[in-house]
Amino acid sequence: MEYWFKQPEVIRKIASHYATNMPMPETMIKRVCAMLNEFEALHTVEQISYSMFDLTINSSTEEKPDIEGIHRELSKEVGLLDYGGVSVCPAVVADRYAGRRCSKYYGHLWAKVFAADLFKSRFLKDGIDNAQTWMEYRKT
């Protein structure tokens, strides 16, 4: 669904002023679409760093790997910002991968890949309002 909400034609259909019911101005629609895509690259880099961190600590042969050091080095490697040596991310990432949650997390990432591919290869190509595409999607 997130891909549809980034499309100007969808925003035009669903967005209006709560009191006047006036449609959202085109200039605002353009700003909203730009804002929705603004942090996509940073988010992707963060997801890559989380995955690299998980793979690195879980494939380590050390009895007590330097979690903070590993995170700091991987952050530099993928180009994340340096927060002056302060890092709370390993605790956040460790929570994400604890127990059975890691399979859900990786499953979610793959679902996002499939959703992006489907949206771009069919719905953008055929038109997001194409009834035939929707019926084919619904039947599969």
Side-chain angles (χ1 to χ4, degrees):
M1 293 298 284
E2 67 186 275
Y3 299 105
W4 278 267
F5 290 119
K6 293 179 180 181
Q7 302 307 306
E9 56 267 40
V10 172
I11 295 172
R12 280 186 207 100
K13 289 179 182 180
I14 65 172
S16 61
H17 191 276
Y18 77 98
T20 66
N21 209 28
M22 293 292 293
M24 183 182 282
E26 282 300 311
T27 55
M28 189 177 288
I29 290 173
K30 288 179 183 175
R31 288 195 322 242
V32 167
C33 289
M35 183 266 318
L36 289 171
N37 291 315
E38 190 170 323
F39 292 106
E40 192 67 31
L42 177 60
H43 179 70
T44 301
V45 169
E46 285 178 330
Q47 298 307 308
I48 290 168
S49 75
Y50 295 158
S51 298
M52 290 173 65
F53 177 75
D54 175 57
L55 293 170
T56 302
I57 63 171
N58 285 303
S59 62
S60 175
T61 56
E62 297 177 32
E63 182 148 336
K64 292 185 179 183
D66 177 13
I67 302 295
E68 289 284 334
I70 291 169
H71 180 259
R72 217 174 1 267
E73 289 305 311
L74 288 173
S75 294
K76 285 180 198 173
E77 186 177 328
V78 298
L80 289 176
L81 298 173
D82 181 6
Y83 295 104
V86 176
S87 176
V88 296
C89 184
V92 172
V93 175
D95 176 60
R96 259 193 198 141
Y97 299 111
R100 288 177 278 182
R101 289 186 67 193
C102 61
S103 62
K104 292 176 186 174
Y105 177 72
Y106 285 115
H108 172 75
L109 288 178
W110 275 112
K112 286 184 68 122
V113 169
F114 292 134
D117 183 53
L118 175 65
F119 183 76
K120 291 176 181 169
S121 67
R122 291 299 312 271
F123 289 98
L124 277 184
K125 185 179 89 176
D126 299 343
I128 61 173
D129 289 332
N130 186 308
Q132 182 179 347
T133 302
W134 276 103
M135 288 308 294
E136 289 173 12
Y137 171 68
R138 189 173 176 196
K139 289 177 182 178
T140 54

